[in-house]
Amino acid sequence: LTLNGTGTLNVTGSYRHAVCSKDDLVITGGTYVVNAVEDALRGRDCVKIADGDFTLTAGGDGIKSNKDTKATKGFVSIEAGDDGIQAQTYLRIAGGELDIAAADDALHSDLEGILSGGTLTIEAGDDAFHAETKLVIDDGTVNVKACYEGYEAEKLYINGGNTHIVASDDAINAA
């Protein structure tokens, strides 16, 4: 299933998943407002997102790929020409497996951010995870293969997790 274009798609999944593919789910652009009883975006073999603006509300997972019988399937990949994931006020990642390649920040919040679980592989042209005011790292595994700065925020709290950052400037910057 491939969704592309510059339009807006509003989807409500009243029974189970809102947008679901038994194989690959590929999104190349557009604006998506998705509400689901279970998962918002689900591709069994993979979910690949090249661009787009997403508002996801889910009783289950926001973005999910669950093929576990092949080592090359069951992944989520986000590639962005700007920020990989951008939030106006609060960006929270509490689990899942994300591969993000972004020309700017991989993860960006104009206020606060928290990582409390999950496995992230990141390549960013600028920051791996940038929050303007406060960034909290409580848990999770983060492998930043390349970035300008790794974790950046005015106040930065690293309480746990496993982090590896390759940065051309600061790996950790609290300014």
Side-chain angles (χ1 to χ4, degrees):
L1 173 61
T2 300
L3 304 173
N4 60 34
T6 59
T8 300
L9 181 63
N10 295 299
V11 180
T12 300
S14 300
Y15 172 64
R16 290 193 69 198
H17 314 304
V19 178
C20 183
S21 171
K22 293 184 193 265
D23 294 313
D24 298 351
L25 173 59
V26 178
I27 301 173
T28 64
T31 300
Y32 300 88
V33 179
V34 181
N35 292 287
V37 172
E38 287 187 28
D39 302 335
L41 303 175
R42 182 178 177 135
R44 179 151 168 79
D45 287 350
C46 71
V47 177
K48 297 177 188 175
I49 300 172
D51 196 7
D53 184 347
F54 298 87
T55 302
L56 306 176
T57 304
D61 295 319
I63 303 171
K64 182 174 185 172
S65 178
N66 65 335
K67 178 96 175 199
D68 60 0
T69 57
K70 284 189 172 180
T72 60
K73 300 292 183 182
F75 66 89
V76 174
S77 175
I78 300 172
E79 297 182 19
D82 198 3
D83 294 335
I85 300 173
Q86 207 279 334
Q88 190 66 31
T89 58
Y90 185 68
L91 176 56
R92 175 179 173 255
I93 297 175
E97 187 170 325
L98 295 172
D99 291 324
I100 302 172
D104 197 8
D105 295 344
L107 306 164
H108 182 97
S109 173
D110 286 346
L111 287 177
E112 295 184 12
I114 185 168
L115 176 64
S116 59
T119 302
L120 287 76
T121 303
I122 295 173
E123 291 185 54
D126 197 10
D127 301 333
F129 199 151
H130 180 124
E132 288 296 325
T133 59
K134 181 170 81 170
L135 177 57
V136 178
I137 309 296
D138 282 334
D139 197 4
T141 300
V142 179
N143 181 17
V144 181
K145 294 180 176 182
C147 68
Y148 181 70
E149 292 189 333
Y151 296 150
E152 181 181 9
E154 181 181 340
K155 296 178 183 175
L156 183 59
Y157 303 92
I158 300 175
N159 301 314
N162 185 5
T163 301
H164 177 262
I165 298 173
V166 175
S168 61
D169 192 33
D170 301 325
I172 298 173
N173 181 357

